[in-house]
Amino acid sequence: MNMASVGILFLFFIIIRAQSEGKAFVEVQCKTGNVGQYGQQSMLDCVVTTAEEVKEPKILVVAWKKKGSEDDSDKTLLVFHKGNTTGQPAYRFAESSWNDRNMNISLLITNTTMVNSGDYTCSVMTDSGDDITKTSLRVTAKYNKPTIRSIPENITGREDVTLSCSSVGGYPKGQLRWFDEHNQDWTASSKMEAELTNDGLFKLSSKLSLLKNSIFSKYTCIVFNSSGGKEDEVTLEIPDTATSKGQGEVKGLDQTSKIVAPLVVIGSLIVGLLLALLIYRRRSQRDHREVPTFESNAEQGAHVEMYKEREDGTALSLPLSGDCSCHMDITTY
Ligand SMILES: *[C@@H]1O[C@H](CO)[C@@H](O)[C@H](O)[C@H]1NC(C)=O
Ligand SMILES: *[C@@H]1O[C@H](CO)[C@@H](O)[C@H](O)[C@H]1NC(C)=O
């Protein structure tokens, strides 16, 4: 069937339809909100309904057309006429062994692509009347598992890094989001672009910049579809040596200070005691000067032992010799 005869047939339809307006013996009823999935089969679900009084209706003509988007010319997809079914290879009746007594005239699109989305018309002629109805198909495509690339490729922790995540093959426009190992959302720090590719699908790309001193050990890039449903994800593990060293140092410092603090306290106690002893000794030396005989005594090597009793029972024994070699024993009882 060539274009001209299809056109004449169509004109014929319209004339007959105009004559039978108001009778509605025959009606084509289509399901609304047909959604097709990219790469799979889609169906435009339509049935012919007839009035009660119509007994055993017989279909004479079915014509499925798609409304052209740019040139505005309709494209014939599937036609049943004079007992023959013709049309484009990717389209057929959804009913596998459809015949002119079958009122289910649903159109099956065998391999759905983006060009299949849009408005369709279905015209039917029966021996009891005819009808023409519009229906539409919306096509969605699931985004592929994203991939992550880092620039530079080797993350050393000594230089800033840009992570680049991309996911292709989705429709409509979705979103890429970034999370670290604590599930903190870093999307606000990223920049996403959506590009329409030749097959009518979107390619999403997002870049996340990492400063060399604040790199986490894991970054997950998740692709969400246009209605916010999670579709797929990918995780990049950063080598330990490259992860946020700054944070590690702070932690180390923390632990060190836990050990150092008591040491400082003990140290200052010891220093305090030493100072106390020194003052004690100075005083006793002053005392000695007032008694010169005692001093000469000390110079001769006489040992003076001094004990200082403390509340906790610690005693310091400081043997003092005249030449001040300053030995010190700390004895704990
Ligand atoms: C028409 O046929 C198709 C394929 O068998 C089926 O999936 C669909 O539900 C039918 N539609 C109606 C309205 O019965
Ligand atoms: C988005 O994903 C959700 C959950 O997986 C799904 O129910 C919904 O149909 C999807 N929407 C689109 C437009 O693909």
Side-chain angles (χ1 to χ4, degrees), residues 148-178:
I148 296 187
R149 210 158 50 87
S150 79
I151 307 153
E153 202 174 326
N154 284 323
I155 303 174
T156 58
R158 289 188 298 275
E159 54 194 337
D160 295 349
V161 176
T162 301
L163 297 185
S164 169
C165 176
S166 66
S167 175
V168 295
Y171 195 92
K173 186 175 160 182
Q175 205 196 5
L176 293 173
R177 302 186 71 88
W178 293 93

Side-chain angles (χ1 to χ4, degrees), residues 176-195:
L176 293 173
R177 302 186 71 88
W178 293 93
F179 297 88
D180 66 20
E181 80 261 37
H182 308 299
N183 249 342
Q184 194 183 334
D185 192 337
W186 288 97
T187 313
S189 321
S190 69
K191 196 170 176 296
M192 196 193 85
E193 277 172 17
E195 179 195 335

